[in-house]
Protein backbone atom coordinates (compact mmCIF):
# COMPACT_ATOMS: atom_id res chain seq x y z
CA UNK A 1 0.00 0.00 0.00
CA UNK A 2 1.18 3.50 -0.81
CA UNK A 3 1.33 6.16 1.90
CA UNK A 4 0.31 9.72 1.04
CA UNK A 5 0.40 12.59 3.54
CA UNK A 6 -2.85 14.56 3.82
CA UNK A 7 -1.51 18.06 4.45
CA UNK A 8 -0.26 21.24 2.81
CA UNK A 9 2.22 21.94 5.62
CA UNK A 10 5.81 22.00 4.34
CA UNK A 11 7.40 21.10 7.70
CA UNK A 12 5.18 18.02 8.03
CA UNK A 13 5.92 17.01 4.42
CA UNK A 14 9.70 17.48 4.80
CA UNK A 15 9.63 15.48 8.05
CA UNK A 16 7.69 12.47 6.73
CA UNK A 17 9.64 12.56 3.43
CA UNK A 18 12.78 11.98 5.52
CA UNK A 19 11.28 8.75 6.97
CA UNK A 20 11.65 7.05 3.60
CA UNK A 21 8.02 5.87 3.33
CA UNK A 22 6.26 8.77 1.62
CA UNK A 23 4.70 8.12 -1.80
CA UNK A 24 2.63 11.28 -2.36
CA UNK A 25 0.68 14.18 -0.87
CA UNK A 26 -2.96 15.24 -0.98
CA UNK A 27 -4.05 18.82 -0.33
CA UNK A 28 -7.44 20.48 -0.41
CA UNK A 29 -8.59 24.12 -0.11
CA UNK A 30 -9.14 23.79 3.66
CA UNK A 31 -5.62 22.43 4.20
CA UNK A 32 -4.05 25.14 1.95
CA UNK A 33 -5.98 27.84 3.85
CA UNK A 34 -4.07 26.93 7.03
CA UNK A 35 -0.70 27.80 5.43
CA UNK A 36 0.88 31.25 5.07
CA UNK A 37 2.75 30.48 1.81
CA UNK A 38 1.28 31.78 -1.50
CA UNK A 39 -0.77 28.95 -3.12
CA UNK A 40 1.29 28.43 -6.30
CA UNK A 41 4.62 28.62 -4.43
CA UNK A 42 3.27 26.12 -1.90
CA UNK A 43 2.22 23.64 -4.59
CA UNK A 44 5.54 23.95 -6.44
CA UNK A 45 7.53 23.40 -3.23
CA UNK A 46 5.46 20.36 -2.19
CA UNK A 47 5.93 18.87 -5.67
CA UNK A 48 9.69 19.46 -5.42
CA UNK A 49 9.97 17.69 -2.04
CA UNK A 50 7.81 14.69 -3.00
CA UNK A 51 8.40 13.00 -6.37
CA UNK A 52 5.12 11.06 -6.20
CA UNK A 53 1.66 12.44 -7.03
CA UNK A 54 0.66 15.72 -5.36
CA UNK A 55 -3.10 16.30 -5.43
CA UNK A 56 -4.30 19.88 -5.82
CA UNK A 57 -7.99 20.73 -5.94
CA UNK A 58 -9.95 22.59 -8.62
CA UNK A 59 -12.62 24.92 -7.24
CA UNK A 60 -14.44 25.73 -10.50
CA UNK A 61 -17.91 24.27 -10.93
CA UNK A 62 -18.67 24.25 -14.68
CA UNK A 63 -16.79 21.76 -16.83
CA UNK A 64 -15.09 24.30 -19.19
CA UNK A 65 -13.87 26.24 -16.12
CA UNK A 66 -12.76 23.06 -14.32
CA UNK A 67 -10.83 22.04 -17.46
CA UNK A 68 -8.98 25.34 -17.81
CA UNK A 69 -8.25 25.54 -14.06
CA UNK A 70 -6.98 21.94 -14.07
CA UNK A 71 -4.71 22.60 -17.07
CA UNK A 72 -3.15 25.56 -15.21
CA UNK A 73 -2.67 23.50 -12.03
CA UNK A 74 -1.14 20.60 -13.99
CA UNK A 75 1.46 22.99 -15.43
CA UNK A 76 2.79 23.86 -11.96
CA UNK A 77 4.75 20.57 -11.77
CA UNK A 78 5.04 17.22 -13.55
CA UNK A 79 3.67 15.25 -10.58
CA UNK A 80 0.42 17.20 -10.05
CA UNK A 81 -2.83 15.21 -9.86
CA UNK A 82 -5.79 17.56 -10.18
CA UNK A 83 -8.52 16.91 -7.67
CA UNK A 84 -12.04 17.24 -9.02
CA UNK A 85 -15.19 16.73 -6.91
CA UNK A 86 -17.62 14.14 -8.27
CA UNK A 87 -20.47 15.97 -10.03
CA UNK A 88 -21.88 15.71 -13.56
CA UNK A 89 -19.82 18.77 -14.57
CA UNK A 90 -16.85 17.15 -12.86
CA UNK A 91 -17.31 13.92 -14.83
CA UNK A 92 -17.27 15.80 -18.15
CA UNK A 93 -14.06 17.53 -17.10
CA UNK A 94 -12.49 14.29 -15.84
CA UNK A 95 -13.12 12.61 -19.20
CA UNK A 96 -11.60 15.52 -21.17
CA UNK A 97 -8.57 15.93 -18.89
CA UNK A 98 -7.82 12.19 -18.84
CA UNK A 99 -7.83 12.20 -22.67
CA UNK A 100 -5.08 14.84 -22.43
CA UNK A 101 -3.05 12.63 -20.07
CA UNK A 102 -3.62 14.78 -16.96
CA UNK A 103 -3.78 12.75 -13.73
CA UNK A 104 -7.16 13.19 -12.03
CA UNK A 105 -8.03 12.40 -8.42
CA UNK A 106 -11.83 12.38 -8.07
CA UNK A 107 -12.62 13.67 -4.63
CA UNK A 108 -15.53 13.83 -2.17
CA UNK A 109 -16.55 10.25 -3.02
CA UNK A 110 -19.21 8.94 -0.65
CA UNK A 111 -20.75 6.07 -2.67
CA UNK A 112 -19.57 3.16 -4.80
CA UNK A 113 -21.59 4.43 -7.78
CA UNK A 114 -19.66 7.71 -7.69
CA UNK A 115 -16.36 5.80 -7.66
CA UNK A 116 -17.45 3.59 -10.57
CA UNK A 117 -18.45 6.59 -12.71
CA UNK A 118 -15.22 8.44 -11.94
CA UNK A 119 -13.21 5.36 -12.94
CA UNK A 120 -15.23 4.97 -16.13
CA UNK A 121 -14.49 8.60 -17.04
CA UNK A 122 -10.78 7.77 -16.74
CA UNK A 123 -9.77 9.03 -13.28
CA UNK A 124 -6.36 7.81 -12.11
CA UNK A 125 -7.51 7.98 -8.45
CA UNK A 126 -10.77 8.01 -6.49
CA UNK A 127 -10.85 9.40 -2.94
CA UNK A 128 -13.61 7.94 -0.74
CA UNK A 129 -13.82 9.94 2.55
CA UNK A 130 -14.29 7.31 5.24
CA UNK A 131 -13.94 9.47 8.37
CA UNK A 132 -16.72 11.82 7.28
CA UNK A 133 -19.00 8.77 6.79
CA UNK A 134 -18.05 7.44 10.25
CA UNK A 135 -18.83 10.93 11.62
CA UNK A 136 -22.48 10.54 10.55
CA UNK A 137 -22.69 6.99 11.96
CA UNK A 138 -22.19 5.23 8.63
CA UNK A 139 -19.54 2.54 8.05
CA UNK A 140 -16.82 4.28 6.04
CA UNK A 141 -14.74 1.13 5.60
CA UNK A 142 -17.71 -0.73 4.06
CA UNK A 143 -17.50 1.76 1.18
CA UNK A 144 -13.84 0.84 0.60
CA UNK A 145 -14.80 -2.86 0.50
CA UNK A 146 -17.55 -2.17 -2.07
CA UNK A 147 -15.31 -0.08 -4.33
CA UNK A 148 -12.44 -2.59 -4.10
CA UNK A 149 -14.80 -5.46 -5.04
CA UNK A 150 -16.25 -3.56 -8.01
CA UNK A 151 -12.81 -2.54 -9.28
CA UNK A 152 -11.63 -6.17 -8.94
CA UNK A 153 -14.76 -7.47 -10.74
CA UNK A 154 -14.00 -5.38 -13.81
CA UNK A 155 -10.21 -5.19 -13.52
CA UNK A 156 -10.46 -1.41 -13.19
CA UNK A 157 -7.01 0.11 -12.73
CA UNK A 158 -8.16 3.35 -11.05
CA UNK A 159 -6.42 3.49 -7.66
CA UNK A 160 -8.38 3.82 -4.43
CA UNK A 161 -7.08 6.54 -2.09
CA UNK A 162 -8.62 5.96 1.33
CA UNK A 163 -9.16 9.52 2.58
CA UNK A 164 -10.47 11.31 5.65
CA UNK A 165 -8.52 8.95 7.89
CA UNK A 166 -8.98 9.53 11.62
CA UNK A 167 -6.85 6.87 13.38
CA UNK A 168 -4.28 4.09 12.78
CA UNK A 169 -6.92 1.34 12.70
CA UNK A 170 -8.37 2.94 9.55
CA UNK A 171 -4.98 2.44 7.87
CA UNK A 172 -4.69 -1.21 8.95
CA UNK A 173 -8.25 -2.00 7.82
CA UNK A 174 -7.64 -0.31 4.46
CA UNK A 175 -4.50 -2.46 4.02
CA UNK A 176 -6.45 -5.65 4.91
CA UNK A 177 -8.96 -4.81 2.18
CA UNK A 178 -6.08 -4.17 -0.23
CA UNK A 179 -6.70 -0.47 -0.92
CA UNK A 180 -3.98 1.03 -3.13
CA UNK A 181 -3.28 4.13 -1.06
CA UNK A 182 -4.06 5.73 2.30
CA UNK A 183 -3.78 9.50 2.61
CA UNK A 184 -2.98 10.14 6.22
CA UNK A 185 -2.83 13.28 8.40
CA UNK A 186 0.51 13.92 10.11
CA UNK A 187 -0.90 13.18 13.60
CA UNK A 188 -2.07 9.72 12.50
CA UNK A 189 1.18 9.04 10.60
CA UNK A 190 3.05 9.65 13.87
CA UNK A 191 0.70 7.32 15.80
CA UNK A 192 1.26 4.55 13.22
CA UNK A 193 4.90 4.33 14.31
CA UNK A 194 4.39 4.35 18.05
CA UNK A 195 3.44 1.60 20.53
CA UNK A 196 3.74 1.87 24.35
CA UNK A 197 5.36 -1.60 24.54
CA UNK A 198 8.02 -0.44 22.07
CA UNK A 199 8.81 2.54 24.35
CA UNK A 200 8.92 0.30 27.45
CA UNK A 201 11.10 -2.21 25.57
CA UNK A 202 13.59 0.43 24.45
CA UNK A 203 13.82 1.85 27.98
CA UNK A 204 14.51 -1.62 29.46
CA UNK A 205 17.09 -2.56 26.82
CA UNK A 206 18.90 0.76 27.38
CA UNK A 207 18.91 0.19 31.16
CA UNK A 208 20.18 -3.39 30.76
CA UNK A 209 22.81 -2.28 28.23
CA UNK A 210 24.29 -0.20 31.06
CA UNK A 211 24.86 -3.46 33.03
CA UNK A 212 26.57 -5.34 30.18
CA UNK A 213 30.30 -5.98 30.75
CA UNK A 214 32.20 -4.09 28.04
C1 LIG B 1 -8.49 13.89 0.99
O1 LIG B 1 -7.91 13.99 -0.05
C2 LIG B 1 -8.93 14.99 1.86
O2 LIG B 1 -7.96 16.00 1.81
C3 LIG B 1 -9.03 14.59 3.31
O3 LIG B 1 -8.71 13.24 3.52
C4 LIG B 1 -10.26 15.06 3.98
O4 LIG B 1 -10.21 14.67 5.32
P1 LIG B 1 -11.11 15.32 6.47
O5 LIG B 1 -12.43 14.67 6.45
O6 LIG B 1 -10.35 15.04 7.72
O7 LIG B 1 -11.18 16.81 6.16
Amino acid sequence: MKFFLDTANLDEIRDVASWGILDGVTTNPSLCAKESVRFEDLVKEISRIVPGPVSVECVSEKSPDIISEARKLAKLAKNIAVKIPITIEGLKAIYALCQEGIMVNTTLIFSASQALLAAKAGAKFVSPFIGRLDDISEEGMALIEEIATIFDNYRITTEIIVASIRHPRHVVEAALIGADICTIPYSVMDKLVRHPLTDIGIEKFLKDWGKVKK
Side-chain angles (χ1 to χ4, degrees):
M1 189 171 71
K2 284 177 262 186
F3 281 67
F4 288 5
L5 194 60
D6 196 24
T7 187
N9 183 275
L10 291 172
D11 291 335
E12 291 180 355
I13 295 166
R14 284 193 193 100
D15 183 23
V16 179
S18 75
W19 301 2
I21 52 96
L22 188 60
D23 299 300
V25 166
T26 53
T27 69
N28 63 37
S30 310
L31 292 171
C32 292
K34 291 184 196 163
E35 305 307 315
S36 52
V37 185
R38 215 179 60 95
F39 175 69
E40 288 196 3
D41 297 336
L42 186 62
V43 170
K44 283 183 190 163
E45 184 56 13
I46 296 172
S47 309
R48 203 192 54 75
I49 301 168
V50 183
V54 173
S55 290
V56 185
E57 191 148 340
C58 289
V59 292
S60 304
E61 290 178 280
K62 292 285 171 201
S63 63
D65 303 331
I66 300 172
I67 291 168
S68 58
E69 186 186 358
R71 284 181 183 143
K72 276 186 208 141
L73 291 175
K75 280 194 185 118
L76 293 176
K78 284 205 172 92
N79 49 341
I80 298 289
V82 292
K83 248 180 164 180
I84 299 178
I86 180 72
T87 60
I88 292 173
E89 290 299 306
L91 273 180
K92 295 179 201 170
I94 292 164
Y95 178 74
L97 293 162
C98 294
Q99 296 294 307
E100 294 174 21
I102 292 177
M103 273 194 290
V104 174
N105 174 359
T106 310
T107 191
L108 288 168
I109 297 272
F110 291 98
S111 74
S113 61
Q114 292 177 322
L116 182 56
L117 288 172
K120 200 162 169 63
K124 166 99 177 136
F125 306 106
V126 287
S127 290
F129 280 32
I130 58 165
R132 293 192 194 186
L133 283 169
D134 289 357
D135 290 345
I136 58 161
S137 301
E138 291 201 21
E139 187 58 64
M141 207 50 76
L143 174 60
I144 304 303
E145 275 173 5
E146 281 189 3
I147 299 171
T149 303
I150 292 168
F151 284 10
D152 278 356
N153 286 349
Y154 297 100
R155 297 190 174 81
I156 290 169
T157 55
T158 301
E159 293 178 56
I160 303 170
I161 303 181
V162 181
S164 186
I165 280 184
R166 301 276 191 261
H167 49 72
R169 196 65 208 163
H170 272 155
V171 178
V172 173
E173 285 169 12
L176 286 169
I177 293 168
D180 303 282
I181 301 154
C182 274
T183 190
I184 306 167
Y186 182 84
S187 58
V188 177
M189 198 69 97
D190 186 71
K191 284 183 191 147
L192 283 170
V193 184
R194 298 180 193 282
H195 195 287
L197 290 178
T198 305
D199 297 340
I200 292 167
I202 289 172
E203 201 184 319
K204 168 127 180 60
F205 284 153
L206 279 177
K207 209 169 145 200
D208 290 345
W209 177 243
K211 299 178 201 156
V212 172
K213 291 192 179 60
K214 301 168 196 105

